Amino acid sequence: MSIRRLPLPLLMTACVALSACQRPAEPPPPVETVEVASPEEGGAVSTAPVDVDTAPEPAPVTDPDPTAVDWAPMTLAGATASISCELDYANAGDGDVLSAFDHDALHAALEPCAERGVARLRFKGRVTQDFTRLVQRLASVADELKIGKRVLDIDSSGGMVEEAIRAGDVIAGTRWTIWVREGAVCHSSCVFLLAGGDTRLIGGRVGIHRIIRMSSSATTRAELNRELRAVYGRVRDYLERNGAAVAVADLMMAVPNRSLRILTPDELKLYGLDGVNPAQDDLDRLRLMRKCGQDFVARRDAYVRAFDSTCNAPDRDVEQMANCGLELRTKYGFPDEQCPTESPLSEFDLVDALAAAAGNASRLRILGVPIGEPRPAARQPKPAPARPAPADAASTAESPTASEPADAGDAATSEGEAETPIRD
């Protein structure tokens, strides 16, 4: 008898039996998207000219010279920048707001940080040409003052794509750690800055969407696509040379500019936008092998892996990750006697020594850990504070992530925010 001729009750029973044999499909992981303001208020905006007839493919991109500093007069319209010598922003704040950007003014702002060798730039605003100039100038003055550890503590909704690429290359050439702290965001073109950082600590929210061509003369979808192919080609080239996945550019293409696709912690790691920069890590391994030896590099690798698996958890705030990383170091023999400044989180050792020498051990604190006193063997992490809409990506000041962790025989390591050491 044909199934079509079965009585209705039998047919229904057969259908139910068949459906019972099928496994219910597992729902795909949730994808978070949010609506955003107009591109002029942030976004990923491209205005660079492209010739859709003769240059459908991207022209070769040359790395900017980080030493060629532009000291032309500048302002930070609609943005604020502060300099602090402290990594503990929760207790010490963000330092002094910069109001002048000439050499003498920036030298005076950074000079107090020279003794401990650590400086943090807190920047809130769009990515523009003046942002690129600011990072370039501060890196130049930091070199003069021998401040080797630099943190970009950023909160940005995006800006100009071409400037983000230029700024990212400057960041890559002048060795910055990047934080997106709790409550902060790194959206749109700001994501390109993450690719340039030596280490990325993310506690806030990182989002992407399509690049918009504000100066486009396209009248058809095909013409607009040819323009965007040239722009995205430059983006892919930039991501590739900085150790990030070019898949980020492809994912951007599928998200309307009026929306934001929020990247999950797993995606940030997958795309190479969180933790230690893989491209820089390859260079550092060679340098450390020559300077500190193979055993140091092996322990450092183990520490990084251990930090990533033990301390760098989405449910921890920056302070908890930092304390975890500091307590984890001793298991791997850090700070190292031969290479103390190359050891994970060495910036905290410098601050400890200075505080003890100044007799302020009882008053100063680094990320909630009393300076000059033995660090607790294993403190129970306090409950993470309620986070605002943007996950907080912040104060993981130089977390071991940057320094590569892994257990003595086990190890673990991209607008999330584990404490990672700032690279020299």
Side-chain angles (χ1 to χ4, degrees), residues 28-34 251 255 260-264 267:
V31 173
E32 183 181 2
T33 58
V34 296
L251 185 57
V255 183
L260 269 175
R261 166 76 150 74
I262 304 301
L263 299 179
T264 67
E267 287 174 327

Side-chain angles (χ1 to χ4, degrees), residues 284-332:
D284 286 343
R285 289 173 61 81
L286 296 173
R287 178 178 61 86
L288 290 174
M289 189 77 73
R290 293 189 293 265
K291 180 177 180 180
C292 305
Q294 185 171 354
D295 175 70
F296 178 96
V297 173
R299 285 185 288 117
R300 178 177 171 272
D301 288 347
Y303 171 81
V304 172
R305 291 192 297 269
F307 178 87
D308 282 345
S309 63
T310 305
C311 303
N312 190 3
D315 60 342
R316 290 189 173 189
D317 61 26
V318 171
E319 178 180 339
Q320 291 171 338
M321 288 188 283
N323 285 334
C324 175
L326 289 168
E327 294 164 12
L328 185 65
R329 293 193 309 168
T330 56
K331 181 177 180 180
Y332 300 94

Side-chain angles (χ1 to χ4, degrees), residues 10 27 52 64 69 86 104 111 122 126 146 160 184 220 233 255 262 296-297 320:
L10 286 177
V52 296
V69 182
E86 298 289 343
D104 290 346
E111 193 169 20
R122 171 64 170 171
R126 297 181 62 205
K146 295 183 171 34
M160 305 304 298
T220 67
V255 183
I262 304 301
F296 178 96
V297 173
Q320 291 171 338

Side-chain angles (χ1 to χ4, degrees), residues 28-318:
V31 173
E32 183 181 2
T33 58
V34 296
E35 296 300 307
V36 296
S38 64
E40 292 80 357
E41 314 231 344
V45 182
S46 172
T47 58
V50 292
D51 188 336
V52 296
D53 295 320
T54 62
E57 298 299 328
V61 179
T62 57
D63 294 345
D65 180 3
T67 63
V69 182
D70 179 3
W71 289 102
M74 61 165 276
T75 59
L76 284 180
T80 58
S82 306
I83 292 292
S84 174
C85 309
E86 298 289 343
L87 301 177
D88 181 8
Y89 61 82
N91 293 316
D94 291 326
D96 298 325
V97 176
L98 296 174
S99 56
F101 306 96
D102 58 276
H103 180 277
D104 290 346
L106 296 182
H107 189 282
L110 285 175
E111 193 169 20
C113 304
E115 186 178 17
R116 61 181 58 183
V118 180
R120 174 168 58 92
L121 165 64
R122 171 64 170 171
F123 179 85
K124 298 182 67 173
R126 297 181 62 205
V127 180
T128 64
Q129 182 181 42
D130 286 333
F131 169 77
T132 305
R133 289 174 176 171
L134 175 62
V135 172
Q136 198 172 39
R137 293 178 185 191
L138 287 171
S140 175
V141 175
D143 285 342
E144 295 173 14
L145 294 170
K146 295 183 171 34
I147 301 172
K149 299 184 185 295
R150 304 139 192 197
V151 177
L152 171 59
D153 180 357
I154 194 163
D155 187 353
S156 175
S157 61
M160 305 304 298
V161 171
E162 290 77 19
E163 278 307 320
I165 290 176
R166 292 187 188 100
D169 280 327
V170 170
I171 288 168
T174 52
R175 311 302 304 274
W176 291 76
T177 287
I178 300 180
W179 294 353
V180 184
R181 66 161 90 155
E182 307 83 34
V185 301
C186 184
H187 290 165
S188 309
S189 60
C190 175
V191 171
F192 303 142
L193 303 183
L194 296 179
D198 278 14
T199 299
R200 291 67 55 93
L201 305 178
I202 301 175
R205 286 153 67 92
V206 177
I208 59 175
H209 56 191
R210 281 176 66 93
I211 295 171
I212 188 168
R213 290 279 299 161
M214 298 299 291
S215 59
S216 175
S217 59
T219 58
T220 67
R221 189 184 303 173
E223 289 176 354
L224 179 60
N225 185 62
R226 294 184 68 186
E227 286 187 13
L228 288 175
R229 281 182 61 199
V231 176
Y232 277 96
R234 296 168 189 158
V235 168
R236 289 187 182 91
D237 181 77
Y238 167 79
L239 293 171
E240 186 175 53
R241 69 174 175 266
N242 281 292
V246 296
V248 174
D250 297 329
L251 185 57
M252 292 176 72
M253 287 287 283
V255 183
N257 190 266
R258 66 178 179 276
S259 300
L260 269 175
R261 166 76 150 74
I262 304 301
L263 299 179
T264 67
D266 287 343
E267 287 174 327
L268 289 168
K269 290 185 180 298
L270 177 66
Y271 297 141
L273 297 173
D274 183 23
V276 179
N277 186 310
Q280 186 61 46
D281 188 54
D282 287 345
L283 288 174
D284 286 343
R285 289 173 61 81
L286 296 173
R287 178 178 61 86
L288 290 174
M289 189 77 73
R290 293 189 293 265
K291 180 177 180 180
C292 305
Q294 185 171 354
D295 175 70
F296 178 96
V297 173
R299 285 185 288 117
R300 178 177 171 272
D301 288 347
Y303 171 81
V304 172
R305 291 192 297 269
F307 178 87
D308 282 345
S309 63
T310 305
C311 303
N312 190 3
D315 60 342
R316 290 189 173 189
D317 61 26
V318 171

